[in-house]
Amino acid sequence: MANLRLWQCLTVLLLLTSIGLLIGVIILAVDKQENDKSSKANSYQQQQTSCTDDEKSVPEPPGDDKSNKVFSKLTAKEYGKVTTYLLAQVDLHLTETSKATLISNYIYTIESHLSKKSDILGYLDEGQAMPSREAMVTIYMGAENPPVVKEYIVKPVDNPTSHELYQSPIRSSSISWNTRYMDAVETSHIAPLIDDVTKRVDFILKESYNYTFHNCGNQCLMGVWPLPMAQSAGERRNWLAAFRKESPLTEGYHLHQMPFFIEFASSGNDPTKFKITKVIYNNKLFPDVDSLIQKYKNDNSFREKVPMPLGGSRYGSPERRNGGAFDPSSELPPPEQYQPNGRRFTVTGNKVTYLGWSFNIRVPRTSGVQVLNVKFHGKRIAYEVSAQDIAALYGGLPPTGIFMQFFDTSWQLGVQLFPLIKGVDCPRNAIYLDNLFYDSTSSTTVHRKDVVCVFELNTGTPLRRHFSSDFMGPDPTKYHFSFSMPDTVLVVRFMNTVINYDYVFDYIFHQNGVIDTKVSPTGYLFMSPLYNKDPWTNKYGTSINPRLLMQAPIHHHLFSFKFDIDVMGTRNRFETLDITPKSHDHPYVPGVKYTMNTFERKLKSTEMDALVQYDFNKPKYYVMYNNRKTHRNGYKHGYRIAAQGFSKLLLPEDSAPANATHWARNQVVITKYSDFEQTSASKFRQFDVHDPAESFKRFYDNNENIVDEDLVAWVSVGLQHIPSAEDVPVTTTPGKTLTVSIQPYNYFDEDPSFISRDGVVVRRNGNDLSAKVTSYFTKKKQCMTKNTKVDIQL
């Protein structure tokens, strides 16, 4: 009977269990349906709320912002109006560029020119009238006797009514005709001379390189000029170098330079006096082409062939190589960054705003990209931050080694900006800016797209963090709190490509008030003839391919930056904090001394007194401050200049390359602001190395007072480069990045980044192991970036 009752109970229990399971299955099925519906609804909602970065950006500032107007670039219509106005001025006797000869007066360049700083600040800060927008026009005055180069200020650009000869007190003389940059008018007279020489030596080039200049199919040589280095001031001599032209057989023509050069002289404005002066073949110098031909025919030992390099058509190619230890094991693409709630910055016209920062972007023609009117939480930090000049000084034996010196602003950095590859050069969610500039050959404007990008970046490094452990307690794993904040920054990026080298420039704005300017060189090596085939005794370069009779020479990269810092106004001082060790008698141990570092403030009174040639034995802080504005702790509000990459210019001061890069003689130069000292760059520098009309040394030679004045800091950095095999096909950026920063120094009461929402604080919940995490964001992620392709618009 007991067994029967037991079975009855078990049966009832089993029945109840089955019913419960059935109900559970029904509930799960219903839940699944509801979840499926919810999932579909969420998916639909995601599609509906999926947004472009533009739709989720923070609100844009008004489009009529004052700074947008005063710093705006010239429009195509304004370029046209300036041209039309000047051609109508009888006192200039201008000829249209398309019809010009060397004995004509014609326009070479037109570029935007900023009004006086005091007038612009009066307009921005004090409600004064907006100053006229101006253009700087460079005119080649070939009709004058002697011919000369002149510059004029034309204004206003929207309806020109005046032109005034630009006369700068820092120029030692007028701009010499022979220092002008080469243009199509001049080269049209040089090309026939080159053509005649290359036709006469066609058989030599064919036998030596299997490439020629004429009737060459896919095996053509191309000439690259100018490579100028006049023997004395006033000369105009240039070298043409021969390269194997880009084709299915050769890519990366910079690596395919041949040991064949032609020197031509083109002084003055009489093309009948232009002539070929020297020829180099097989590292031998000849006074004329006839001497070369005679030597080649009579001396078989003199001949030397240059075959295709090891690697064939792949040598120098940008295409991916197959195989190798570094080949990815899968086809997974690299990570990307996205902003699920949209951009936190805006770009309206030329004005950028970002988390307390605001500034305007301007692209000059000659020097690097500028950021102007830089403010942080409404206070102007700098009137201008910009890259100024680039130089690459090469080593090598004569004759070619002595003329491989490049001063890149002669090629005009604003023109050497090319489209960025979206999603690679810059993140996909970047905003891209275009450039518009005057083309002297066609007398029209060139619109080049996507040459500057602006984006927010999580650097992957904390801006600040700390783990407050119970360090002295019995359990060091216990902590009071932990906090961290990502160093999320805004980046303005542009890349100058000057012949073979690409220079990646970044202006970086941190949330603690720091501005970094960075540059990283990459691109192709420049070659020179190989004089010593023994790699262990060659002192001038590296043979990067044993079948080429060329080497990659040692060279020195140098960069100039400008920081027009305005600390609480334009009346500032400059001081150094000199760090030195000091010995003391030990107060507690008689007869024993101890040594520690100390620092001493040294106010610099004049421009010459403030010159800095960096010495590792004498470290210093470089601080610009406002003596009239006192910090609550008693210090003066200031900004510090710091650099990673100071580099000494080793060449003697009287050498031509050093004379042309006088801005690199000192690593820091402080000058009193002058409207005539806008840039350390010069578009005449490449042809004006011996006695430059525009010498940076004149910025401080007058040794002006710099106490309580409007001050500008000029900072130079650089790196020496001895190429290696890994620099082929192109050099890479890691280990080559140079940085100049301006950092708040007692400018704020405390770290200004603590107002940011980006920080996270973690605290213990009493004595248990749980934690309370404080984040200052309430919005959820709403959208993802589109799956767009790599895009470049040429």
Side-chain angles (χ1 to χ4, degrees):
M1 192 69 177
N3 289 336
L4 179 59
R5 289 178 178 173
L6 176 62
W7 280 109
Q8 288 176 341
C9 290
L10 290 174
T11 301
V12 172
L13 180 61
L14 180 61
L15 179 61
L16 292 173
T17 302
S18 299
I19 293 172
L21 289 172
L22 179 60
I23 293 172
V25 169
I26 293 172
I27 291 173
L28 287 173
V30 172
D31 283 346
K32 183 178 186 301
Q33 289 180 347
E34 293 299 320
N35 286 336
D36 288 344
K37 291 179 181 178
S38 176
S39 178
K40 291 178 181 178
N42 287 339
S43 176
Y44 178 76
Q45 184 68 21
Q46 172 130 4
Q47 292 175 2
Q48 292 293 89
T49 60
S50 179
C51 51
T52 64
D53 287 324
D54 288 333
E55 293 170 336
K56 285 295 180 179
S57 294
V58 296
E60 292 188 349
D64 61 350
D65 183 272
K66 281 185 172 183
S67 62
N68 238 327
K69 293 179 180 179
V70 76
F71 296 125
S72 62
K73 61 187 178 183
L74 298 184
T75 65
K77 186 175 182 180
E78 289 169 338
Y79 278 115
K81 286 191 173 184
V82 170
T83 303
T84 301
Y85 166 80
L86 289 174
L87 288 173
Q89 305 310 304
V90 294
D91 60 312
L92 298 178
H93 306 289
L94 294 183
T95 300
E96 293 182 21
T97 305
S98 61
K99 302 175 182 178
T101 67
L102 285 174
I103 57 172
S104 303
N105 295 347
Y106 61 96
I107 296 172
Y108 172 55
T109 63
I110 302 174
E111 55 192 299
S112 172
H113 181 262
L114 289 178
S115 301
K116 293 181 178 180
K117 178 181 177 180
S118 58
D119 292 342
I120 292 178
L121 292 184
Y123 167 66
L124 293 176
D125 300 341
E126 300 172 15
Q128 297 177 9
M130 176 176 162
S132 296
R133 291 172 55 247
E134 305 172 352
M136 169 82 79
V137 183
T138 303
I139 300 178
Y140 288 174
M141 311 291 284
E144 295 199 1
N145 186 20
V148 70
V149 178
K150 293 183 179 180
E151 292 178 317
Y152 288 86
I153 301 297
V154 179
K155 61 183 179 181
V157 292
D158 56 342
N159 186 26
T161 57
S162 70
H163 61 285
E164 180 181 350
L165 181 65
Y166 180 77
Q167 295 178 304
S168 171
I170 68 166
R171 286 180 178 166
S172 59
S173 61
S174 60
I175 303 171
S176 168
W177 175 257
N178 284 338
T179 65
R180 75 196 189 284
Y181 188 74
M182 296 181 72
D183 67 348
V185 177
E186 180 182 12
T187 57
S188 66
H189 296 288
I190 297 171
L193 301 176
I194 300 296
D195 192 60
D196 177 68
V197 171
T198 55
K199 284 180 177 177
R200 295 181 62 190
V201 299
D202 187 77
F203 73 100
I204 297 177
L205 303 177
K206 180 71 173 178
E207 292 177 3
S208 300
Y209 314 137
N210 205 27
Y211 277 64
T212 65
F213 283 94
H214 307 281
N215 302 317
C216 45
N218 282 336
Q219 294 176 270
C220 293
L221 292 175
M222 59 181 286
V224 175
W225 69 48
L227 301 176
M229 184 57 66
Q231 301 301 311
S232 60
E235 283 189 309
R236 189 170 178 82
R237 293 173 181 264
N238 300 273
W239 288 89
L240 178 138
F243 291 82
R244 284 173 171 155
K245 193 174 182 179
E246 300 276 5
S247 74
L249 299 177
T250 52
E251 288 193 303
Y253 77 87
H254 309 283
L255 299 179
H256 296 272
Q257 186 178 344
M258 299 294 101
F260 177 73
F261 304 86
I262 302 171
E263 186 193 57
F264 54 91
S266 58
S267 296
N269 62 346
D270 184 355
T272 64
K273 296 181 180 180
F274 292 1
K275 60 182 178 179
I276 303 298
T277 50
K278 295 182 181 66
V279 180
I280 296 174
Y281 169 81
N282 192 18
N283 300 338
K284 299 296 189 299
L285 180 66
F286 297 91
D288 52 59
V289 68
D290 292 328
S291 302
L292 166 59
I293 294 172
Q294 182 179 2
K295 176 70 173 176
Y296 187 86
K297 289 181 176 180
N298 297 335
D299 187 355
N300 291 337
S301 64
F302 171 68
R303 306 175 185 180
E304 189 160 9
K305 296 182 180 297
V306 180
M308 290 293 291
L310 294 175
S313 61
R314 280 290 190 182
Y315 183 75
S317 169
E319 300 294 338
R320 175 180 176 267
R321 275 57 165 163
N322 294 322
F326 298 101
D327 197 17
S329 59
S330 71
E331 294 187 3
L332 291 175
E336 293 187 42
Q337 72 167 40
Y338 68 97
Q339 292 173 284
N341 291 296
R343 297 189 184 101
R344 301 196 296 182
F345 68 95
T346 63
V347 179
T348 307
N350 58 51
K351 183 171 182 177
V352 180
T353 59
Y354 168 72
L355 301 183
W357 287 105
S358 68
F359 54 85
N360 298 80
I361 297 176
R362 180 174 179 267
V363 183
R365 184 184 180 94
T366 301
S367 59
V369 172
Q370 299 169 311
V371 289
L372 299 163
N373 195 35
V374 182
K375 293 184 178 182
F376 190 51
H377 295 294
K379 294 182 179 180
R380 184 176 294 109
I381 303 298
Y383 180 70
E384 177 185 349
V385 174
S386 62
Q388 287 289 298
D389 207 348
I390 306 172
L393 309 181
Y394 284 78
L397 291 171
T400 55
I402 62 174
F403 61 67
M404 289 181 61
Q405 319 297 336
F406 297 95
F407 313 104
D408 290 353
T409 50
S410 298
W411 281 268
Q412 299 163 65
L413 298 183
V415 178
Q416 306 305 322
L417 293 171
F418 299 95
L420 300 164
I421 302 177
K422 295 181 179 180
V424 182
D425 287 333
C426 309
R428 296 188 193 279
N429 57 348
I431 290 179
Y432 293 81
L433 305 179
D434 301 346
N435 188 25
L436 186 74
F437 60 88
Y438 179 83
D439 178 63
S440 57
T441 302
S442 63
S443 299
T444 59
T445 54
V446 175
H447 180 198
R448 195 165 286 164
K449 294 181 66 63
D450 305 334
V451 300
V452 178
C453 67
V454 184
F455 58 92
E456 190 175 8
L457 176 70
N458 185 328
T459 63
T461 301
L463 175 68
R464 49 175 169 80
R465 63 97 57 198
H466 182 66
F467 184 88
S468 181
S469 68
D470 191 10
F471 185 72
M472 301 301 294
D475 185 0
T477 63
K478 291 184 178 181
Y479 68 98
H480 305 292
F481 58 83
S482 177
F483 67 87
S484 187
M485 175 180 166
D487 188 16
T488 306
V489 300
L490 188 75
V491 181
V492 176
R493 175 172 292 172
F494 59 98
M495 303 183 190
N496 287 114
T497 301
V498 186
I499 308 179
N500 58 308
Y501 260 110
D502 296 63
Y503 300 101
V504 183
F505 284 94
D506 286 343
Y507 301 157
I508 304 173
F509 298 84
H510 299 262
Q511 293 187 54
N512 64 341
V514 172
I515 303 174
D516 293 331
T517 58
K518 292 188 175 184
V519 59
S520 306
T522 179
Y524 282 93
L525 296 169
F526 203 87
M527 310 300 288
S528 71
L530 178 64
Y531 294 92
N532 186 345
K533 297 181 182 179
D534 182 356
W536 297 107
T537 59
N538 187 349
K539 299 179 181 180
Y540 294 99
T542 303
S543 174
I544 58 173
N545 194 299
R547 298 183 67 177
L548 290 173
L549 300 181
M550 305 297 290
Q551 66 181 4
I554 180 176
H555 53 283
H556 192 184
H557 292 288
L558 291 162
F559 305 90
S560 173
F561 290 91
K562 177 183 179 182
F563 300 89
D564 184 352
I565 302 172
D566 290 342
V567 180
M568 304 285 188
T570 58
R571 302 190 66 176
N572 293 166
R573 296 183 176 189
F574 176 71
E575 69 176 4
T576 61
L577 277 57
D578 297 10
I579 303 170
T580 56
K582 187 174 182 179
S583 295
H584 304 267
D585 292 327
H586 201 296
Y588 310 123
V589 184
V592 175
K593 287 184 175 292
Y594 69 96
T595 304
M596 62 176 60
N597 286 337
T598 63
F599 70 89
E600 181 180 358
R601 298 179 182 273
K602 292 187 177 180
L603 176 67
K604 304 302 179 180
S605 300
T606 65
E607 292 173 326
M608 296 288 283
D609 188 32
L611 297 177
V612 174
Q613 292 192 352
Y614 186 75
D615 184 350
F616 277 100
N617 294 315
K618 299 177 181 179
K620 307 174 189 291
Y621 268 32
Y622 310 104
V623 179
M624 202 173 288
Y625 67 95
N626 190 319
N627 194 55
R628 300 185 175 196
K629 304 291 184 178
T630 303
H631 189 273
R632 69 179 183 182
N633 295 335
Y635 298 108
K636 305 299 180 181
H637 293 273
Y639 252 77
R640 176 193 170 203
I641 302 163
Q644 298 177 12
F646 282 152
S647 187
K648 181 179 177 60
L649 181 61
L650 299 175
L651 302 178
E653 191 166 356
D654 59 353
S655 67
N659 196 34
T661 52
H662 214 289
W663 46 262
R665 178 59 56 187
N666 303 282
Q667 285 68 57
V668 180
V669 176
I670 306 297
T671 61
K672 179 182 176 181
Y673 178 87
S674 168
D675 288 308
F676 292 104
E677 297 173 359
Q678 288 295 309
T679 177
S680 61
S682 171
K683 54 179 168 284
F684 310 108
R685 187 70 41 79
Q686 189 73 55
F687 299 85
D688 195 19
V689 297
H690 294 282
D691 185 22
E694 298 178 333
S695 174
F696 180 72
K697 187 177 181 181
R698 297 189 187 96
F699 281 34
Y700 56 82
D701 256 356
N702 53 0
N703 201 26
E704 289 189 271
N705 169 64
I706 58 171
V707 177
D708 296 331
E709 298 287 355
D710 190 358
L711 304 183
V712 180
W714 309 84
V715 185
S716 68
V717 291
L719 61 90
Q720 298 280 359
H721 187 185
I722 303 175
S724 66
E726 292 79 12
D727 286 313
V728 175
V730 296
T731 62
T732 51
T733 58
K736 300 183 182 73
T737 298
L738 307 169
T739 304
V740 183
S741 303
I742 58 172
Q743 308 167 1
Y745 195 75
N746 295 317
Y747 188 90
F748 301 101
D749 290 338
E750 62 176 4
D751 177 3
S753 74
F754 269 84
I755 70 172
S756 173
R757 291 180 179 270
D758 292 2
V760 172
V761 179
V762 181
R763 295 184 181 274
R764 289 175 61 98
N765 273 334
N767 293 323
D768 59 29
L769 297 179
S770 63
K772 177 184 178 182
V773 179
T774 301
S775 175
Y776 301 97
F777 289 102
T778 57
K779 289 185 177 181
K780 296 181 179 180
K781 297 180 179 180
Q782 296 179 352
C783 48
M784 301 284 285
T785 54
K786 296 179 180 179
N787 185 20
T788 55
K789 297 180 179 179
V790 171
D791 177 41
I792 181 171
Q793 298 186 43
L794 295 174

